[in-house]
Amino acid sequence: MQNNVDCIILAAGLSSRMFDFKPLMLYNGMSFLENIINKTKKFCNKVIVVTGYNSKLIESIIQTKYNNEKIYTVFNPEYNSSMYLSLLAGLKQVTNNNHVLYHFIDQPTIPVQFYSEFLAEIDTTSLIVQPRNCNKRGHPLLFSFNFCKHLLNSNPDSYLKLEMKKFENEIKYWDCNYMQILKDFDTPEDYKIIED
């Protein structure tokens, strides 16, 4: 376990383009949410799930399946406004001085070994670490605590890409062989071709 890393999983949105509720859609016999929690909890001090739409359902599942584990939920009442507000809600729960693994809910196919290798890329000089495959930038992302503090002090009407651009010289890119970092599942057509 990496005790200096917290994970934030965004599970707040409406999943409107999918016509289904993405956190509870299945991959390998488990929900997207469980897939991601089960892998990230092995390496992170705690996992923070940001909820919004269907929040009570997600909270109930986490209480039932992860009782007494370091899995937490935080509700973003403005979940329908922007993903950035959901990220900020999660960042408020991060342990002081910890790095953050920032994870989307629609990336359940990332293999467990990715996280071990990715977190090994943390260093003391980079504010952000982003994985790349075939020169394409992917997700999840790693944030230093200093960058988290910057985000929490930013304009809530901003967005992550803009805030990252302000520090583009302090982003470390990690070239890896994991094509799954480029895959997310937004539509029923995406889901039909889901594969490991």
Side-chain angles (χ1 to χ4, degrees):
M1 175 190 287
Q2 294 271 354
N3 285 322
N4 61 337
V5 180
D6 293 344
C7 179
I8 294 175
I9 304 172
L10 292 197
L14 295 169
S15 310
S16 54
R17 284 188 289 166
M18 182 62 82
F19 302 107
D20 203 343
F21 187 50
K22 280 195 281 190
L24 302 188
M25 293 176 69
L26 296 181
Y27 172 69
N28 277 355
M30 286 187 295
S31 70
F32 282 18
L33 181 63
E34 290 172 80
N35 269 284
I36 297 168
I37 289 176
N38 290 346
K39 286 178 276 194
T40 57
K41 72 176 184 176
K42 298 176 187 293
F43 305 102
C44 297
N45 182 56
K46 64 183 178 184
V47 177
I48 302 158
V49 180
V50 183
T51 67
Y53 179 68
N54 270 350
S55 62
K56 297 299 182 187
L57 180 56
I58 291 180
E59 290 165 7
S60 174
I61 290 168
I62 288 174
Q63 288 171 2
T64 301
K65 298 198 173 186
Y66 300 101
N67 190 30
N68 296 323
E69 295 189 54
K70 292 185 177 181
I71 317 297
Y72 303 91
T73 60
V74 55
F75 176 66
N76 171 25
E78 298 181 88
Y79 63 88
N80 208 19
S81 296
S82 74
M83 289 176 63
Y84 193 61
L85 291 175
S86 290
L87 170 58
L88 295 180
L91 288 174
K92 292 174 184 175
Q93 309 302 317
V94 169
T95 305
N96 196 41
N97 292 321
N98 272 11
H99 278 73
V100 166
L101 176 67
Y102 175 50
H103 210 300
F104 295 149
I105 194 63
D106 55 4
Q107 289 192 294
T109 66
I110 295 175
V112 68
Q113 62 267 27
F114 164 85
Y115 300 100
S116 176
E117 295 176 26
F118 189 38
L119 268 56
E121 295 298 314
I122 291 174
D123 59 43
T124 57
T125 59
S126 305
L127 286 183
I128 303 159
V129 186
Q130 183 165 25
R132 287 190 303 202
N133 179 268
C134 299
N135 288 319
K136 296 179 180 178
R137 300 172 188 178
H139 293 86
L141 302 171
L142 277 168
F143 300 150
S144 71
F145 188 70
N146 281 337
F147 185 64
C148 294
K149 288 193 293 185
H150 165 78
L151 294 179
L152 285 171
N153 289 319
S154 69
N155 187 332
D157 293 326
S158 186
Y159 53 96
L160 181 59
K161 190 175 289 187
L162 174 62
E163 298 304 322
M164 287 177 61
K165 191 170 179 60
K166 296 175 182 178
F167 299 95
E168 55 189 344
N169 293 329
E170 296 175 74
I171 301 176
K172 175 182 179 180
Y173 295 105
W174 175 54
D175 291 301
C176 67
N177 294 320
Y178 296 100
M179 293 183 64
Q180 296 92 339
I181 66 165
L182 306 177
K183 295 181 180 179
D184 54 13
F185 302 95
D186 290 323
T187 66
E189 290 72 29
D190 294 336
Y191 188 56
K192 284 177 184 176
I193 59 171
I194 192 170
E195 57 184 8
D196 200 352

